[in-house]
Amino acid sequence: MSRIVTVAGAQMGPIQRSENRSEVVARMIALMAQAHRHGADLVVFPELTLTTFFPRWFMTDQAEIDRFFESAMPSAETAPLFDAAARFGLAISFGYAEQVQEADRTRRFNTQILVGPDGRILHKYRKIHLPGHAEHEPWRAFQHLEKRYFEVGNLGWPVVRALGGHVGQMICNDRRWPESYRVMGLQGVEMILLGYNTPRHNPPAPDHDALGDFHNALVMQAGAYQNGTFVVGIAKAGIEEGCELIGGSVIVAPTGEVIARASTLGDELILARCDLDWTRSYKETVFNFARHREPEQYRMIVERKGAVPPEA
Ligand code: CDT
C-alpha cells in the first residue's frame, strides 16, 4: 500500500448563528470537490465545523443549547457529507458537538471523527483539554464556556491504522499540551488531524493576544518534530458573530517545518503530499522512544496535576 497521503486542509471562514447545517454542509462539499480535483485522499475540517462556536454565549435553556448538538451521525442534514466522501473517494475528518444518550443520562462531548470513503467512522476522538470556564463571567465580551457545555472526553487519544499509516486526532486546546502528542507518539502516530476555533482575544491574558499566531504555529511544529509525525491543524477563522478567530491553518512535516499554510481568513484549501515514511528518520533516530526515553524519571507527569514549587 502507498505510504503517500495527499492531505487537504479545509479551513473554514466564519459560520454565523443564522447559518443552518445544510448551508454549512454545502460549503464543506464545495471544498471537498476542490480537494478531489487536486487528487486529495483526505480532507480535514475545523473543530465544531457544523455550527458557529456557541460556547461564546452563556445560555441556560437546555433546548436552545441542544440545537447546536448532533444526536446522530450521520443525520439527515449531515448524510450529504458522507455521500460526497463516497462519490469523491475521500476520507474526511470534522468536528461537531456530540450528544449521546446513555441508560440514565445525556452526555455531551466536543468530538471529531475520521470517516472513510466507504462512510465508516474509522476513528472518533472526544476533546480532553477543555479550555475556558463553567460559570457565566459577565465582564468578558465573549464567554468561553466549553467547561459548561461539554464533558471531558472519555476515549483517550487512540491511534488507528488508516490511510496506509497510523492516524490520531486532537482538538484545538489539546494542541498546546505536549501530553496530547506524546500519548499518540507512544502509539507510533504518523499523522495527527486537528481542528481549532481560537479567539484572537483571551480576556484573562490580554498580553498574549498579539502572540496568538506565533503560539499556534509553535505548538504544532514542536509537537510534530518531538514525535516524528505530520500534524494537520485546521482553523475556523475570521469574524464570527463579532468575535475574531485566528486562521493560520497549517500542514506540518515530521521535521517541524510548515509545508502548507493558509493565507486568508475564509474558506480555503491547503494541500500537501505527505510521505508517511518521512516520519521514520525521526522515530528511528533522535526520537527513538524505546532507546532514549526514561519513563521512570517521568512519574510526576501522571502523579501530579498542578505545579508545586519547591519549599522555601
Ligand atoms: N476551542 C479552543 O479550544 N480554543 C482555545 C482557546 C483558549 S483561550 C480560552 C485554544 O486553545 O485555542
Side-chain angles (χ1 to χ4, degrees), residues 197-215:
N197 284 258
T198 297
R200 167 72 59 201
H201 303 288
N202 181 20
D207 50 320
H208 301 184
D209 291 357
L211 299 169
D213 295 301
F214 167 67
H215 289 154

Side-chain angles (χ1 to χ4, degrees), residues 53-202:
F53 188 75
F54 63 89
R56 71 169 62 92
W57 295 302
F58 175 65
M59 296 174 278
T60 51
D61 175 2
Q62 195 58 53
E64 182 187 8
I65 298 164
D66 283 346
R67 280 198 281 280
F68 294 102
F69 282 77
E70 314 299 317
S71 52
M73 188 55 69
S75 60
E77 287 160 311
T78 53
L81 282 175
F82 289 63
D83 297 342
R87 192 163 67 250
F88 297 134
L90 280 171
I92 53 174
S93 162
F94 64 95
Y96 64 98
E98 179 192 19
Q99 188 186 99
V100 274
Q101 199 57 47
E102 290 190 354
D104 54 347
R105 63 178 172 148
T106 305
R107 307 187 70 177
R108 295 175 184 82
F109 299 99
N110 185 342
T111 296
Q112 185 170 312
I113 51 172
L114 172 64
V115 182
D118 59 359
R120 265 191 318 131
I121 294 178
L122 304 175
H123 186 266
K124 178 183 275 193
Y125 170 69
R126 290 173 172 159
K127 185 175 184 178
I128 290 174
H129 293 110
L130 297 174
H133 48 111
E135 300 305 326
H136 189 206
E137 296 185 1
W139 59 273
R140 290 172 180 255
F142 294 101
Q143 306 294 299
H144 200 111
L145 287 160
E146 289 195 60
K147 287 189 192 293
R148 181 178 194 87
Y149 299 135
F150 302 116
E151 282 184 56
V152 171
N154 59 353
L155 302 175
W157 281 279
V159 170
V160 293
R161 285 180 190 269
L163 305 162
H166 309 152
V167 181
Q169 301 186 97
M170 64 170 80
I171 301 177
C172 197
N173 189 253
D174 288 319
R175 75 195 188 287
R176 303 187 194 276
W177 300 87
E179 294 87 348
S180 319
Y181 301 88
R182 185 48 54 90
V183 171
M184 290 194 265
L186 286 166
Q187 299 168 78
V189 75
E190 294 172 319
M191 183 173 284
I192 295 174
L193 318 176
L194 100 91
Y196 59 93
N197 284 258
T198 297
R200 167 72 59 201
H201 303 288
N202 181 20

Side-chain angles (χ1 to χ4, degrees), residues 5-16:
V5 184
T6 302
V7 179
Q11 179 175 284
M12 303 278 292
I15 295 173
Q16 309 304 343

Side-chain angles (χ1 to χ4, degrees), residues 182-183 185-186 226-227 285-299 301-302:
R182 185 48 54 90
V183 171
L186 286 166
Q226 291 171 343
N227 294 277
T285 60
V286 198
F287 297 114
N288 181 331
F289 290 169
R291 183 159 185 198
H292 301 302
R293 288 184 79 251
E294 298 295 348
E296 273 303 305
Q297 306 302 322
Y298 310 152
R299 284 185 175 281
I301 286 179
V302 290

